[in-house]
């Protein structure tokens, strides 16, 4: 609006894109070819200061986000007896907040967590690492050798199974007690069959693997 008024006041013919182009330049403080006129209209005066301020705020947010990620990754390196939650959806967030209420250290891993979920988790004191929990390189940075528990609740049974396989590779040579690994399975029947198979199968080195289903647990709660 301000540039349209400025061009009109300067008597310069304009196309619809000319004010837009000049407005974009305000964000970088590099306005070229400013039309001559007697002063600036109030809308342009506001935009001259507001646009660089918005650009500076966005840059600061990007820097702080990157710094927070780096700081949390460094903090995780010193974690011990913590709980690793793979998947920060509704289930993962509630579990993380419940554990933090008991002052238990929690590391949450999710590649695409929503902004509100990230904010709520971090406000609770959860160390949030943005990444794929199936990546073995990432898992090795979570100090699984000193973690107490790991919960895979990524919202998809296949993904949770892949997380469990990756964790098994990483903790195969884990010293001390085994890592308790809980894998969520949406199908209650499948969860029971997997548990039965796990009991009768060979143990997984370094890991105590178990399966659970929220649907099954909810039904059990109703009838007990």
């Amino acid at each position: 609006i301000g540039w349209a008024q400025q061009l009109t006041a300067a008597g310069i013919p304009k196309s619809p894109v000319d004010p837009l182009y000049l407005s974009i330049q305000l964000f970088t403080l590099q306005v070229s070819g400013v039309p001559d006129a007697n002063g600036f209209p109030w809308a342009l005066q506001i935009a001259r200061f507001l646009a660089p301020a918005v650009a500076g705020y966005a840059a600061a947010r990007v820097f702080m986000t990157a710094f927070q990620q780096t700081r949390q990754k460094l903090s995780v390196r010193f974690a011990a007896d913590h709980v690793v939650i793979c998947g920060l959806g509704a289930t993962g967030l509630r579990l993380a907040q419940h554990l933090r209420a008991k002052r238990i250290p929690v590391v949450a891993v999710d590649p695409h967590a929503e902004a509100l979920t990230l904010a709520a988790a971090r406000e609770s004191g959860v160390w949030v690492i943005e990444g794929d929990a199936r990546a073995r390189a990432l898992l090795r940075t979570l100090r699984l050798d000193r973690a107490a528990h790991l919960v895979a609740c990524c919202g998809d049974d296949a993904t949770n199974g892949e997380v469990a396989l990756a964790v098994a590779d990483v903790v195969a040579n884990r010293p001390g007690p085994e890592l308790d690994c809980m894998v969520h399975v949406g199908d209650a029947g499948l969860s029971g069959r997997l548990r039965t198979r796990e009991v009768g199968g060979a143990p997984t080195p370094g890991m105590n693997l178990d399966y659970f289903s929220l649907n099954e647990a909810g039904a059990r709660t109703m009838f007990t």
Side-chain angles (χ1 to χ4, degrees):
I1 293 173
W3 276 124
Q5 293 173 347
Q6 181 75 357
L7 292 171
T8 300
I12 299 175
K14 63 180 183 299
S15 68
V17 299
D18 290 336
L20 175 62
Y21 179 77
L22 291 169
S23 298
I24 293 173
Q25 289 184 325
L26 288 175
F27 289 91
T28 61
L29 293 174
Q30 295 180 350
V31 179
S32 60
V34 180
D36 188 17
N38 295 325
F40 294 107
W42 66 267
L44 184 55
Q45 287 284 21
I46 295 174
R48 290 172 63 198
F49 293 95
L50 186 59
V54 170
Y57 173 76
R61 286 293 301 270
V62 170
F63 172 79
M64 291 303 297
T65 299
F67 175 76
Q68 188 176 45
Q69 276 286 304
T70 301
R71 180 178 60 82
Q72 292 198 344
K73 287 180 180 179
L74 290 174
S75 299
V76 171
R77 292 181 182 274
F78 300 97
D81 296 325
H82 54 293
V83 178
V84 178
I85 298 177
C86 302
L88 203 53
T91 301
L93 178 60
R94 287 198 300 268
L95 176 59
Q97 291 175 327
H98 174 73
L99 293 172
R100 285 302 302 145
K102 296 185 176 182
R103 308 187 68 84
I104 297 173
V106 178
V107 179
V109 183
D110 196 296
H112 306 296
E114 297 181 356
L116 292 177
T117 301
L118 288 174
R122 285 172 173 152
E123 185 178 353
S124 300
V126 177
W127 294 319
V128 181
I129 305 298
E130 297 182 43
D132 191 340
R134 295 170 293 184
R136 288 157 175 79
L138 174 62
L139 290 174
R140 292 187 179 94
T141 67
L142 304 181
R143 297 314 305 260
L144 297 185
D145 58 322
R146 299 194 302 196
H149 307 276
L150 182 141
V151 182
C153 51
C154 299
D156 178 76
D157 292 352
T159 302
N160 291 336
E162 292 175 6
V163 170
L165 290 175
V167 172
D169 288 344
V170 174
V171 302
N173 298 318
R174 169 186 163 107
E178 295 178 333
L179 173 66
D180 288 329
C181 181
M182 301 289 295
V183 178
H184 179 258
V185 180
D187 187 332
L190 177 59
S191 175
R193 291 194 297 271
L194 288 172
R195 281 201 302 270
T196 302
R197 179 179 178 182
E198 184 65 23
V199 170
T204 305
M207 181 170 69
N208 179 25
L209 181 62
D210 198 4
Y211 301 90
F212 71 100
S213 169
L214 291 180
N215 297 330
E216 180 186 9
R220 187 185 304 116
T221 301
M222 290 176 61
F223 294 100
T224 56

